[in-house]
Amino acid sequence: MRVTDTYVCIDLETTGLDAKRDKIIEIGAVKVENNTITGKWKSFVNPGRKLDEKIVELTGIRNEQLADAPKIGEVLPEFLEFAGEQVLLGHGVLFDFSFLKRAAVNERMTFERQGIDTLKIARKYLQELESRSLGSLCRHYGISHSAHRALEDAAATAALYGKLVENFYDREAQEGNKSLFMPKPLIYQAKRDTPLTIPQKEQLYKLVDKHKLIIDYEIESLTRSEASRKIDQLLAAYGR
């Protein structure tokens, strides 16, 4: 079994943890070829909603930085061109893949990849550590790391992978195709979100105008299910 030394390491910042409801706000990617970083790519993404204070505090990303950022429909093709068909590496890579896959499906694009998860490797071989978070592992190995920014996290994960290969690859290679260092298909089922209907849009604008509301999301960016929840919330709070 040959070690995977060519891949694209990815990391996302998002509005939350649920790929079905939350949105991408930043993508960072590092291209590695023959164990050497050959390219870096990053972009903010306008999520069409205001960020919760806890996300601002966690990431340091502010609403004004996203106000003029491109929407995911503009960003995704650029990311896919950068990433090509390479194996994806990530710390909890399926989380990042799920957001990207859902975004791709909504843009009527195909996105299927194989991946390697540094978190799974760390959970197997570094059980003595109190935490296997990216930050904790970087401290453990003395890797420079600025947490919760996409490109910095991606670069740190690539460095972490190098340490894990150095320390555990030979032991893990005995597992053959079951090895955690062997790329595996990333599986996430996503259905395309249905845009909000014209009646929903009209009702939302009417409610906002009637009650003189200041909302923290873009009505035009809502999906049908999101619009339904917003309407129910406004009706419950303000009536018709």
Side-chain angles (χ1 to χ4, degrees):
M1 187 183 77
R2 178 177 175 274
V3 65
T4 301
D5 58 10
T6 297
Y7 54 86
V8 171
C9 190
I10 60 171
D11 187 81
L12 308 182
E13 300 303 329
T14 63
T15 62
L17 302 178
D18 187 346
K20 293 181 179 180
R21 295 192 178 190
D22 292 304
K23 304 294 182 182
I24 298 169
I25 59 175
E26 188 179 32
I27 305 175
V30 174
K31 185 180 295 183
V32 176
E33 299 176 280
N34 299 318
N35 291 322
T36 301
I37 293 178
T38 59
K40 295 182 179 181
W41 183 92
K42 66 177 180 178
S43 178
F44 283 131
V45 183
N46 187 332
R49 64 179 71 170
K50 291 287 183 67
L51 302 181
D52 292 340
E53 278 302 315
K54 62 181 181 181
I55 298 299
V56 175
E57 292 175 6
L58 182 67
T59 65
I61 298 172
R62 303 183 304 277
N63 286 299
E64 50 267 33
Q65 292 176 286
L66 302 181
D68 295 324
K71 296 291 183 69
I72 189 63
E74 299 174 61
V75 174
L76 195 59
E78 295 181 16
F79 165 74
L80 293 178
E81 182 178 358
F82 175 83
E85 298 295 324
Q86 294 294 349
V87 169
L88 298 183
L89 181 82
H91 199 67
V93 68
L94 190 59
F95 172 86
D96 302 293
F97 178 76
S98 67
F99 275 85
L100 292 168
K101 174 68 176 289
R102 193 166 189 85
V105 168
N106 283 331
E107 297 298 324
R108 302 182 185 276
M109 303 174 73
T110 300
F111 185 60
E112 303 294 344
R113 294 291 186 278
Q114 293 193 322
I116 298 174
D117 192 342
T118 53
L119 178 58
K120 287 184 178 180
I121 299 169
R123 283 174 171 167
K124 179 174 181 178
Y125 287 106
L126 295 166
Q127 296 180 23
E128 73 279 8
L129 298 183
E130 185 174 335
S131 169
R132 267 79 66 189
S133 69
L134 180 59
S136 295
L137 291 168
C138 284
R139 286 190 292 274
H140 177 72
Y141 283 116
I143 297 169
S144 178
H145 178 223
S146 298
H148 301 302
R149 289 303 301 270
L151 183 59
E152 287 80 0
D153 281 353
T157 301
L160 170 63
Y161 177 68
K163 293 292 186 181
L164 295 174
V165 168
E166 181 182 329
N167 286 279
F168 306 116
Y169 177 78
D170 288 342
R171 290 163 60 183
E172 184 68 8
Q174 299 174 22
E175 298 292 328
N177 289 336
K178 294 182 180 180
S179 167
L180 294 176
F181 288 97
M182 176 73 70
K184 306 291 195 309
L186 295 170
I187 306 298
Y188 178 78
Q189 301 297 326
K191 292 183 179 180
R192 185 170 181 268
D193 292 327
T194 306
L196 81 168
T197 64
I198 292 175
Q200 284 179 318
K201 181 165 64 174
E202 291 176 345
Q203 187 174 11
L204 277 168
Y205 277 119
K206 182 179 178 180
L207 286 168
V208 168
D209 182 62
K210 179 179 179 180
H211 298 291
K212 304 295 188 291
L213 303 177
I214 298 175
I215 56 176
D216 59 0
Y217 52 88
E218 297 174 8
I219 291 177
E220 303 287 343
S221 298
L222 298 175
T223 65
R224 186 172 183 174
S225 59
E226 288 172 338
S228 180
R229 288 195 295 271
K230 297 297 185 185
I231 289 170
D232 288 343
Q233 291 169 0
L234 293 180
L235 290 175
Y238 302 99
R240 296 185 179 275

